[in-house]
Amino acid sequence: MTTAPDTLAVRVRRGRQQRSLAHRILRSPLGAASLIYLAAVTLIAIVGPVLVPYDPMTASLQDVFAPPSPEHLLGADSAGRDVLSRLVVATSFSLLGALITVVVAAGVGIPAGLIAGYRGGWFDSLSTWIAGLLLSLPAIVVLLAARAVVGPSLWLVMGIFGVLVSPSYFRVVSSAVQAVRAELYIDAAKVAGLGDARIIGRHILSVVRAPAILMTSGIFAVGIAIQASLDFLGLGDPTMPTWGSMLSEGFRNIYRDPTLLLWPSIAIALTCVAFTLFGTSIRDELERTGDRGRARSAAPWAAPATRPAAPERHDSGHAETDPVLTVSELSVAYDDGESGWTTVVDGVSLNIAKGEIHALIGESGSGKTQTAWSILGLLPQGGSVVAGSIKFHGDELRGLDPHRLSQLRGRHIGYVPQEPLSNLDPSFTIGQQLTEPLRVVLGMNRAAARDRALQLLERVGIVDPQRTYDSYPHLISGGMAQRVLIAGAVACEPDLIIADEPTTALDVTVQAEILDLLRELQSEAGVAMLLVTHNFGVVADLADRISVMRNGSIVETGPTAELFDSPRHDYTKSLFDALLDDAPARGAWTPREVRA
Amino acid sequence: MVPRIHNSHMITFILRRLATGVAMLVTISITAFVLLNLGATDTARRLVGQTASAEIVARKAAELGLDRPLGERFFEWITAALTGDLGRSWQSGQSVVDAIATRLPVTLSLTIGAVIVSAALAIALGALAAGRRGWTDRVVQVLSVIGGAIPGFLIALILVLVFAISLRWFPATGYVRPEDSLGGWLATIALPVIALSIGAIGSVAQQVRGSMIDALRHDYVRTLRARGLPHHRVVYRHVLRNAAGPALSTLGLQFIVMFGGAVIVEQVFSLPGIGQSAVAATVVGDVPFVMGIVIVTAILVVIVNLAVDLLQGWLNPKVRLS
């Protein structure tokens, strides 16, 4: 233990990072306002008691309930004491009381958290238990009991309150130390010869900084509130003017002179709000570091400088007379705020005819799933279709009213997602999730929807439909969940199914079954399907046509047989090579020596 | 729809939580008893008056049992407490259980009223903020922070000043029992309930908002929308339901916070809850009464925590009962 964490903390606090943080806080209006207010209050607390015109405790019979006047700017109270002087002197006592709470809380919570996090074992268990105990009772009840023991001492009571809130510091510090300790053995800093204490100090500081500032300002606010409540209840020290005792005095004379209540109320409310806003604005600023994606980009999307080459087409003459889906020159981009737009799909065109299975194949990150989501109109936040058109039975979907689009989904376009279990709502039974769209979209009654859902479950090959119908998602296997999701996709008899990697998350044996099921359902109903996958094995005997996608664009497209017989694009060839090598189709082909 | 949780698991779970609760009660009893009695040396003098002779003070101390060993007195107290007897108030001689039993319903009706009001408003505001985002979200967030920062009793004072004294819409003080007049009861508890709720609304709404925004990122949200369900239905039915667990935990914590707040707010409205008598007992150092209030509060905490756990189990079919 050569360097104590405290000295590191001081050193870092003086550093550049803190200064820029202060700068950032001043830029946020609420943060700046609360900081200025708190600085003013602190100044009043320090120099005010020396400057006040009257002694805050001296009663004066002729000034009882004196109205505001040049002598008594805010008037005088029921004992003729000057309200302004009392308010100023009370500022010192109230802030000092809260400061004691913060110091005791930090003084108890931080060392205990450091030891518990570093040593673990019985000390950790015991102190965690005590922390839970301290937080379980309402503080005011404990303080009432404590007041019965220690008498009317402001400082002692605020100190005890500090102990009561110390678990907040304890919890943050001990979990931070634990996390750092767990990483310590792989930490390069250790190799570099830095001592444990120094590593822990630095790491903890970076983890703990934001919650500690938020907590400290929160405890200041609560300390002022608690101190005011105790004084208001008449449990404080009668020889000390505090905001709470002024409030109590104002409340007793509420009918006589309500303004006596006004000034301490304003002081307490503003100070509590300022501390809280100060804390939250610091936290917001610290959390925003490296996350500037909130703001909208100022510039509209512009097509990237390098345009994708036209795809290799195996059938230039192929034209659908009545396509179910026509996507042309589709581009999808994400608004990254200050850094502009990220284009994930660029110039994608594809046609899907009635009853056709069209496979969209490519490695992960090639934009297949983004294309699928944009057809459904369900791109994640920040993403949008920035160019091109999506026509469903000849009707443009891009820019369609959200309500109309919502009516198309489910009823006309079905969706089979990639990860079966995360795509079922864990809080509802399978039955509820299957019947809800039937009732909302198709307007079926409860009994009809239930019968239909059970039929669907049976159709997708679930052995005991009733049991699955009543189950929650966590009780069924991934393969079963995917069958349920397929049942959901075909429930409203759509004309088009978008299946996004429907077998990727499943075991190999289950994969084949699910593919068989998809093929059966597709041929039965003559429904068109967009099958997104990264696996050529999946598409080989399922798809009618294939589009190969790479870096957001389609590089080659054509009927399955032709594409397999004579792949033209290098990337398609490399995917075939990978398939023949029985290796997973990942990444573009690179020369062996480079790869090694 | 009640999830089917294996009965024996549920019983083990409840028993374990009860055991934790009992351990907590025992620790609190011992700590509170020892500390309160160590501080009770002056109580005998305070009760008989400053002018009383040393002999009278000693007799009073003996009468209260202050001359006997602490361990013996604790044993006596806890055996009686187990039979539901918390002793007699040193100040009034009244049975502590009776005194608390007549006052607790007032404090609890404030607390429960505030829990209901704040849950309803917080869920509505949090869901609105998470569902709409944008400026609605900003406004809800800033109001939540400000509402949570201002102490409840201060809000109570402002409400009294504005709605009871200036506008005269509500009675400023006093309490009407619900069995005497339901309308009168509602009028007397309306302002205190509002005062208690405002802080809780802020923190519960923040929690609802945060966990709904997390839940909105889940894959099933997209899939449900792909099934043709309207956005608002997915948000207010599925997302809200999945965000209910963390919100419930926060509400459980707020129950305890509001119970503490009620003790103070009662004073503002002169309601005959446990707050008034607790303050009086604190000032004179009436150990049995203060002990009684601490224990009753701790029991309430154990009950609320257990209720929250059971509700969590009911809400979340996947809850790990360990």
Side-chain angles (χ1 to χ4, degrees), chain A residues 373-396:
Chain A
W373 287 346
S374 60
I375 296 166
L376 286 162
L378 292 176
L379 284 166
Q381 207 174 7
S384 52
V385 173
V386 288
S389 91
I390 301 166
K391 284 191 171 139
F392 182 69
H393 286 305
D395 298 326
E396 181 61 54

Side-chain angles (χ1 to χ4, degrees), chain A residues 30 129 133 135-138 140-149 221 224-226 228-230 232-235 247 251 254-255 258 261-262 264-266 268-269 272-273 276-277 280 283-284 288 294 373 376-378 380-381 402 406-407 409-411 413-417 419 422-429 432-433 436-437 440-441 467 470-472 474-475 484-489 492, chain B residues 1-4 20 23-25 27-28 31 35-40 46 133 138 141-142 145-146 148-151 153-154 157-158 160-161 165 168 172-173 206 209 217-231 233-234 237-239 241-242 253 256-257 259-261 263-264 267-270 275 278-279 281-283 285-286 290 293-294 297-298 301 305 315-318 320:
Chain A
L30 286 177
W129 197 74
L133 197 67
L135 285 181
S136 65
L137 287 181
I140 193 76
V141 171
V142 180
L143 290 177
L144 282 177
R147 164 64 173 73
V149 179
I224 282 170
I226 270 284
S229 356
L230 286 171
F232 176 73
L233 293 177
L235 297 174
L247 212 54
F251 184 60
I254 192 166
Y255 289 97
L261 205 56
L262 188 67
S265 297
I266 290 175
I268 295 168
C272 288
V273 169
T276 310
L277 285 179
T280 48
R283 181 204 54 194
D284 290 351
R288 198 173 297 169
R294 296 265 146 185
W373 287 346
L376 286 162
L378 292 176
Q381 207 174 7
S406 176
Q407 288 176 328
R409 286 192 290 259
R411 181 76 188 83
I413 306 178
Y415 171 62
V416 181
E419 191 72 48
S422 72
N423 277 286
L424 288 168
D425 183 340
S427 299
F428 290 82
T429 62
Q432 288 167 330
Q433 294 183 59
E436 192 183 353
V440 173
V441 176
R467 190 191 160 118
D470 291 329
S471 295
Y472 282 91
H474 71 280
L475 294 171
V484 168
L485 285 161
I486 291 172
C492 301
Chain B
M1 177 146 239
V2 181
R4 291 177 301 183
T20 319
M24 182 187 133
L25 285 177
T27 316
I28 289 174
T31 319
L35 291 178
L36 282 170
N37 280 287
L38 285 180
R46 240 176 285 159
R133 303 304 299 268
R138 298 280 313 162
Q141 284 218 70
V142 170
V145 168
I146 292 174
I150 300 176
F153 78 99
L154 202 58
L157 284 175
I158 296 165
V160 166
L161 207 56
I165 292 176
R168 295 175 184 280
T173 58
Q206 295 265 45
R209 171 192 175 272
R217 295 199 186 102
H218 282 121
D219 289 342
Y220 60 78
V221 173
R222 185 186 311 110
T223 301
L224 286 166
R225 295 199 55 201
R227 297 284 180 259
L229 299 179
H231 178 66
R233 190 179 169 100
V234 175
R237 186 174 150 91
H238 293 270
V239 172
R241 171 64 189 272
N242 280 287
L253 288 177
I256 306 303
V257 170
F259 183 79
V263 168
I264 311 169
Q267 305 282 316
V268 177
F269 295 92
S270 308
V279 170
T282 292
V283 174
D286 187 345
V290 175
I293 284 173
V294 169
T297 310
V301 169
N305 288 344
L315 267 179
N316 179 3
K318 215 166 32 177
R320 291 276 168 266

Side-chain angles (χ1 to χ4, degrees), chain A residues 191-252:
Chain A
V191 183
L194 289 170
D196 274 10
R198 198 157 159 207
I199 300 169
I200 290 183
R202 186 175 299 167
H203 282 69
I204 289 169
L205 199 69
S206 66
V207 176
V208 160
R209 196 176 44 156
I213 294 172
L214 184 67
M215 229 172 339
T216 305
S217 56
I219 291 175
F220 258 111
V222 177
I224 282 170
I226 270 284
Q227 194 262 318
S229 356
L230 286 171
D231 270 325
F232 176 73
L233 293 177
L235 297 174
D237 185 344
T239 63
M240 267 180 207
T242 61
W243 289 337
S245 58
M246 292 182 71
L247 212 54
S248 176
E249 144 59 44
F251 184 60
R252 279 198 300 275

